[in-house]
Amino acid sequence: LYKIRSDMDDSEATLTAMFGHCTQELMNLLLSGHAASQMHDGIMPMEDTGLMLRGIEKQPWIGYLTYLEVLRYLKVGSLY
């Protein structure tokens, strides 16, 4: 459980969201083995704020999903 919390940007966040939907962290955990909060590669600094956004460590063989794709807010990749 400690490892999962350390993968997340917000260690107080939950893996399920409103109405029992899974969060991006849970989806990333199931697909890649890491509960990363973001979809980008690696760790990215947020300019000069000192905040570090944790992304995916390496590309998984199964592919990616984000719940925001269903809402058409963003598109992850183009090979589907």
Side-chain angles (χ1 to χ4, degrees), residues 5 7 13-15 23 26 37 40 53 57 61 68 71-72 74 79-80:
R5 294 247 180 244
D7 287 345
T14 62
L15 294 175
T23 61
L26 180 56
S37 299
H40 55 76
L53 299 178
E57 293 181 7
W61 62 271
L68 296 174
L71 301 172
R72 297 180 186 230
L74 65 96
L79 303 175
Y80 52 91

Side-chain angles (χ1 to χ4, degrees), residues 16-70:
T16 55
M18 189 180 296
F19 307 116
H21 298 175
C22 71
T23 61
Q24 189 64 53
E25 290 87 350
L26 180 56
M27 221 177 310
N28 287 342
L29 178 61
L30 295 173
L31 292 174
S32 71
H34 299 281
S37 299
Q38 311 297 325
M39 295 297 299
H40 55 76
D41 295 333
I43 297 175
M44 296 181 78
M46 281 295 290
E47 300 196 10
D48 59 352
T49 65
L51 179 64
M52 303 298 277
L53 299 178
R54 292 177 186 90
I56 303 303
E57 293 181 7
K58 65 179 182 172
Q59 184 178 9
W61 62 271
I62 195 168
Y64 266 114
L65 296 173
T66 173
Y67 66 95
L68 296 174
E69 281 185 289
V70 174

